[in-house]
Amino acid sequence: MSIKELYQGDKETAWCPGCGNFAIRKSLIEALSELEIKPTEVVMFTGIGQAAKMPHHLRINGFNGLHGRALPPAIGQRIANPELKTIVESGEGDTYGEGGNHLLHNIRRNPDLAHLVHNNQVYGLTKGQASPTSEADTSTLIQPQGVTAEPFNPIKFAVAMEASFVARSFSGDTEHLKKTIKAALEHPGYALVDILQPCVSFNKVNTLQWYQERVYQLEDDYDPYDYSTALKRAEEWGAKIPIGIIYKQEKTIFKDRFPQLDEAPLVEKDFDTEKLEDLLVDFE
Amino acid sequence: MSIKELYQGDKETAWCPGCGNFAIRKSLIEALSELEIKPTEVVMFTGIGQAAKMPHHLRINGFNGLHGRALPPAIGQRIANPELKTIVESGEGDTYGEGGNHLLHNIRRNPDLAHLVHNNQVYGLTKGQASPTSEADTSTLIQPQGVTAEPFNPIKFAVAMEASFVARSFSGDTEHLKKTIKAALEHPGYALVDILQPCVSFNKVNTLQWYQERVYQLEDDYDPYDYSTALKRAEEWGAKIPIGIIYKQEKTIFKDRFPQLDEAPLVEKDFDTEKLEDLLVDFE
Amino acid sequence: MDLNVVIAGEAGQGLKTVEDILNKTLFEMGYDIYSTKDYMSRVRGGHNFMSIRFGDERLTGPAQKEDILIALNEESIKVHRDLVVEEGIIIYDGEVEVDNKELLSVAASDIAQELGNPKVANTVFIGALLKALGLYLKTTEEVLKEYFDNEKIININLQALRKGYEQVEKKISLPFVNKGGQILINGNQALGLGAISAGVKFYAGYPMTPSTGVMNYIASKQEELGIVVEQAEDEIAAINMALGASYTGVRAMTGTSGGGFALMSEGLGLAGITETPLIIAEVQRPGPATGLPTRTEQADLQFVINASQGEFPLIVATPRSVEDCFYQTFRSFNLADKYQLPVVVLSDQFLADSTMNVIRFSHRALDIQRKLINEEEAENINNYQRYKLTEDGISPRAYPGQLEDQVVLVDSDEHDQFGNIIEDAETRIKMVDKRAQKMKTITKEESLEPEFAGENEIDYLIVCWGSTYGPALEAQKRLAADDYAVGLLSFNYVWPFPTEKLNKYAPGTKIVVVEGNSTAQFASLLESESDFTSHHNILKYDGRPFTGTEIYNRFIKEVIK
Amino acid sequence: MDLNVVIAGEAGQGLKTVEDILNKTLFEMGYDIYSTKDYMSRVRGGHNFMSIRFGDERLTGPAQKEDILIALNEESIKVHRDLVVEEGIIIYDGEVEVDNKELLSVAASDIAQELGNPKVANTVFIGALLKALGLYLKTTEEVLKEYFDNEKIININLQALRKGYEQVEKKISLPFVNKGGQILINGNQALGLGAISAGVKFYAGYPMTPSTGVMNYIASKQEELGIVVEQAEDEIAAINMALGASYTGVRAMTGTSGGGFALMSEGLGLAGITETPLIIAEVQRPGPATGLPTRTEQADLQFVINASQGEFPLIVATPRSVEDCFYQTFRSFNLADKYQLPVVVLSDQFLADSTMNVIRFSHRALDIQRKLINEEEAENINNYQRYKLTEDGISPRAYPGQLEDQVVLVDSDEHDQFGNIIEDAETRIKMVDKRAQKMKTITKEESLEPEFAGENEIDYLIVCWGSTYGPALEAQKRLAADDYAVGLLSFNYVWPFPTEKLNKYAPGTKIVVVEGNSTAQFASLLESESDFTSHHNILKYDGRPFTGTEIYNRFIKEVIK
Ligand SMILES: Cc1ncc(C[n+]2csc(CCOP(=O)(O)OP(=O)(O)O)c2C)c(N)n1
Ligand SMILES: Cc1ncc(C[n+]2csc(CCOP(=O)(O)OP(=O)(O)O)c2C)c(N)n1
Ligand code: SF4
Ligand code: SF4
Ligand SMILES: [Mg+2]
Ligand SMILES: [Mg+2]
């Protein structure tokens, strides 16, 4: 079987026909198979939401945890067995809303993982409430007079936090998306990919066409290592929305902060209870 | 009694002699009294920590809530009775650590309040663990090999999030601190004041002297309305640390998003149960 | 007469619209209605269905049997065919084998196509159903005119309705009814309406099925009534925001389901120690963790009662019906204010999504009691103590800014009468006792007693709480009609645990606890809080609500044998 | 012989150092020790004290009386003067009225000043105490040499010690003792050591008094042993991090106190439904909310047992002593792995901060049992089902990457045997039953039974759980010595609730529950989970631990009368 085939789940999805999630799944599987990563060599951590159902819609090691809590269990895995690749995948409500504190602090940790955020600017699964990225004048059943906070710009936030890899892609451009996911997977350190994803059921403003009219790829000579340019480009939103790797830098990854993690992964190590005798010396 | 006297609590504090918290209290009381705000006209919301004990160490309306949760109850107050001034006050562990998600999203809401963060770069009350702002190589009982994440820069974060008022001050310069707190209290919208505060018991690196050697006031002609300069100055840390209002802008405040809040404060309004009859029309 | 119409299809096929229009039609005609939803946690596809039970006598729960099926897709035929009673009717667009049931084949999609809008196929089905039931079109026409606001859409729907009507023959004769003074409402709306009627001024919440409907309803009235509804960044923020508003003096509320409640549990204790009134609507769904997000269960009972570290007074209301969602939510606000404590209104998806006719609520039954310090008291206070020790445990409550020259200080640490932190044993004991005293005062002053149904002499006592009441009542009535001496005790408050009626009705009976969970949580409560023990438990934990028939059958089989 | 030395002063005066040095000295000399802390939630000032009880027979709790007081400031004289027994000794730097006690005035600060370091005043007091007790200096000198690592500081302390020794006369003659094979350790250290010995590889936590000591201890060994300790951004992250590590195949743990546990409660349910082993150390302090951060209480019992929405298997261990903290934490890891569930180790501040001598732990008593799929099994698996239905409810557990070509999928939604989301009633019921079956298997296969102390024929049965054991045992012994027929049943597991020994010892007795809370939570559990009822409850909720004398006195007064 080809690697691509290995990822095929055998069940229908819970997604709506026409949803951007299908394209993301496709690009993801292609990215993984082009990198020759098998389903058993990678773990996917997700929260709760439509996007977060991903591990049920392909065949992969998966930890489908709690709403807003996709990142923390991945940190545990990075420590326990860094030999497995790590994908954290969830909706933008899950990631930037309920899970905001984990995002904030894991950028500081810089764990080696690819974080794919399906940004449909809406809470899909719970049927259409505003999310942190909903546009300024979005009105919903809860906010009939419009949302009460400014939209969150994840790209600008992550660049300013000096995350080690910050990209935007678009489910409507699967080639670009595949390439970006590959780069995120290959990047050593925390790699955020905010993926614009139309929700055909609840977001009637930011449709596929809306995005298509605005999205453009960063210039070929764009230098993602240039922090101040990145910060500026991160502001672009509205008439024109850049996609691509907006910012990048290499720095110490989380696991390397623990010198005791040098040899085999923890999961392969047993504890020798005889060591207790040495430990008791402190209490004698 | 002078307003200043009105703020005098009659109990000894739980703070260590020499702690920066005393100076902050002093500056705060002076700021309030110079603005002629009486203790009954302002409410202080705090979390848990040494800094968060503030409402017990002066006489003021106070809601001393949960660790990390100083901001959310203040939002409730802003809605229920915006005629009372609002101070949110806590440690940096409380604010940037446990409470990070509320910070993130309340900057987006822009409630009209002054947020005073006692930043001693350590968890004081729990006896010396690293906080989000602890320096890169800080080692503690929990992190004998040093902290495992990069320090959080609250100023840069808040500027990049386009908070409407971002300042840094220093407990070692009470005049500056008083002035800054006054400006924060007078600013319409969310005003973050990160206050450098030596902890004499647990932070042996960032001492009063350490700060004094580094801290300087922003130039007189510094323009806090200039976003990109602000972002750059927000980066300064180490040999030289600027204090002052680093960034400022006026924008819609949270309460003004609710047109129904036009008249008297909610707390003064009673509900007329006869209105039930009108509401029932929907269900007939 | 008691008929159950099931409309089945996949998510996204417009089931809700069909349900709404049929409910409204039958309601307007004066029938009693109990309508429920069975839906999956997805936006499109899968298999969902609505059951509309209607009749000429009060209905208190869903039916077990399916009399009429409107199948919007083939899958629905497969799933429901065998559930339809013998001689029952299946309305479907196509030809299928239906054994001993009657198939009414309706070319709904062709008709809709002809009319130029495929979406109106459902309206064709409605027309067909009405004809089969021998009902007139007029009421439905009015309903459609109100339901849609675009003239063109209304017209095409009216046409579709008529076309459907013409497709089939009358099959059933319904009795004529004419009930007045009723409203048609579901559990979440009733809960929200109860809160609004109690004068809630601030609602902070984070969306979570099946509680979101409460927030939606209140939000829809916020501008008109000067209420503020705020979507919080997470449930922790939601409860703390509400506490801040309540401290500031307004009635405040939050709502969620079990997972969100878990996140709120620390805040619940904060309400407890700061003695801040707060209403939390906890609309249960099956757990643990994410569980079955759109289904029903009663498995958060012990969690809610025991939530948060430490010990503090708490009231847990468990409304027993849609109507009760309104009245007990209203009452909860008065209780919370009077006793200065959190009240959890524990509902569930079954109640939340049950739409039924209830007797019109009246504002005359409503009396808002804030119990804040009044102006006169305010003037006489010199050295305000938020936590003044009193005999009944209740201290005078003022909000910040209310008292001239006096501040209001509340604290999550243990504190003295002024709200300042203390650590000494003596004050600690006094404050624990003060808070505990409030529970004693409640037991003395408030009746939180369950409702009894049945004859005086009984051998069996069915005991249930919350939403199980409706189905249990139906079962009890049928058992009584069969001459079994069975009574019913239905709790709509479970904490503090009321024991008066138990002591009255339970002695000498065999207690049968009926509840929607797998570990018989209420039965445990009964054991620890009363002198009685459950003889047998009828439990259900498949995510679906009880029906009266099911309880009746299981009672016969498991208890009477 | 049984003496209680109290060292009192304010935070920041170095009380802990005095306690450490005295503990170590007395331990080295072979005395039995039970040392406890009473401290405020502040860094400087206030009033704190340490009680070092020591003697020549095993001690299981703190003393009520104070025999010797070392008062480091005047405040301490005020607070403790009347607590010191008649003829007791007060060591103080100054002259004060002490009524019928003996004052040993020691010019500690002058001496320290002369020696050139005001900090060594405390060492002067130690010297004085040793002399009063008629002990030699040698042991303490060795202890000081080990305690400090700077030559100069050691020397000045040795001088201070000798100067203090010379200041007073011998007052008391102690028996000679010589106990070997012991270690000196506190509850948090023992808990951490138990985890390390069980092979914990990952500990994620957020600081919270009084649990932080567990994390500190494990962290201090992390580099040496290849363990990772990570300070999380909040408790929600902590538990989810630990779950991720456990899913990945290593033993993982988190720890906190009640407030943090509240935040973790949603994650607890996640452990439950995903069937992921996890150890949570919950070191209780008085609530609700922030409560009394540095004090003790046993009021989180019902919360912990019932935490999180929905129903799932859970074990709650309540170590009864410092020693038990070690053994039950170790065992908890085996139980968690075997039954694939969360285990809460419920300790409290009293245990956490109790330092005592215990019989040296031995690795020979330790057998780590992971119960993961072994290599042979791994090779034979083709279509791996993480949630395979089995008779005992336990499915074969593999970690990601362990199986060739097979993935491991876990889900917080209800799921099928492969871990995929389901919504049908049939699978739901099977999965609830599967998880519930694990609780039955535990009850069948594991003994979680309490320990009994006492004679065969008893009239009264004292029942307690967790840390109350030590004081309760002391009381039971004294009552038995007074010829009251009193037995003691001490629970170190409370969930699933073990009933065998209760059924054996309780019939015919009057049960007296002794616990550290105000609502008698264990007594409720007893009522709902066993056939027994508490006759009387001895409760305490002032933030301080029980003493044996206190239980003895209250038993006589409240029970025997
Ligand atoms: C603690 C908790 N709160 C709320 C929910 C309800 N909930 C589930 S998914 C979701 C929002 C999902 O939005 P997003 O992450 O943007 O994903 P999408 O469905 O749009 O892909 C919410 C609020 C939950 N499951 N758990
Ligand atoms: C939920 C919860 N987790 C942890 C704690 C313990 N805790 C109290 S204060 C504190 C840290 C305080 O640090 P900071 O906010 O910087 O305040 P400081 O004491 O330094 O002024 C912690 C971890 C708590 N009270 N509640
Ligand atoms: S609701 Fe929106 S995001 Fe969810 S599956 Fe449907 S289209 Fe996609
Ligand atoms: S511990 Fe530090 S922050 Fe706290 S009072 Fe003492 S000096 Fe101040
Ligand atoms: Mg989304
Ligand atoms: Mg701090």
Side-chain angles (χ1 to χ4, degrees), chain C residues 41 290 311 412 423 433 519 541, chain D residues 41 290 311 412 433 519 541:
Chain C
S41 178
T290 310
E311 298 165 312
S412 79
E423 298 216 24
D433 290 345
T519 60
Y541 48 93
Chain D
S41 179
T290 310
E311 298 164 313
S412 79
D433 290 346
T519 60
Y541 48 94

Side-chain angles (χ1 to χ4, degrees), chain B residues 48-51 67 91-94 98 120 122-126, chain C residues 266, chain D residues 206-208 235 259-260 263 285:
Chain B
I48 297 296
Q50 295 285 55
H67 182 54
E92 89 292 0
D94 194 282
E98 184 95 26
N120 56 10
V122 75
Y123 282 7
L125 185 58
T126 47
Chain C
E266 194 192 12
Chain D
Y206 186 82
M208 186 161 193
E235 289 85 350
L263 292 167
R285 68 192 214 188

Side-chain angles (χ1 to χ4, degrees), chain A residues 189-244:
Chain A
Y190 175 79
L192 176 71
V193 186
D194 185 75
I195 306 167
L196 304 176
Q197 171 239 325
C199 166
V200 296
S201 291
F202 295 111
N203 192 331
K204 307 295 183 186
V205 175
N206 313 102
T207 59
L208 183 65
Q209 198 194 336
W210 189 95
Y211 287 123
Q212 270 165 344
E213 282 164 12
R214 287 162 175 81
V215 156
Y216 73 96
Q217 294 196 16
L218 286 168
E219 308 73 38
D220 284 347
D221 63 354
Y222 178 81
D223 177 13
Y225 290 95
D226 179 345
Y227 172 74
S228 28
T229 312
L231 253 187
K232 254 186 223 122
R233 295 301 282 265
E235 305 247 358
E236 263 187 86
W237 182 268
K240 295 195 78 191
I241 303 172
I243 59 173

Side-chain angles (χ1 to χ4, degrees), chain C residues 311 528, chain D residues 298-302 305 316 318 346 450 461-466 468 489-499 502 511-530 532-534 537-539:
Chain C
E311 298 165 312
S528 61
Chain D
Q298 298 187 288
D300 298 353
L301 179 71
Q302 291 277 9
I305 290 175
V316 181
T318 53
L346 189 61
L461 182 66
I462 296 180
V463 175
C464 69
W465 61 277
T468 301
L489 213 46
S490 140
F491 286 73
N492 62 355
Y493 286 88
V494 294
W495 200 254
F497 191 80
T499 52
L502 258 178
I511 294 181
V512 178
V513 173
V514 183
E515 55 181 320
N517 58 51
S518 73
T519 60
Q521 299 186 21
F522 188 88
S524 292
L525 203 59
L526 189 76
E527 290 237 5
S528 61
E529 301 297 322
S530 80
F532 305 98
T533 298
S534 171
N537 303 321
I538 296 180
L539 305 175

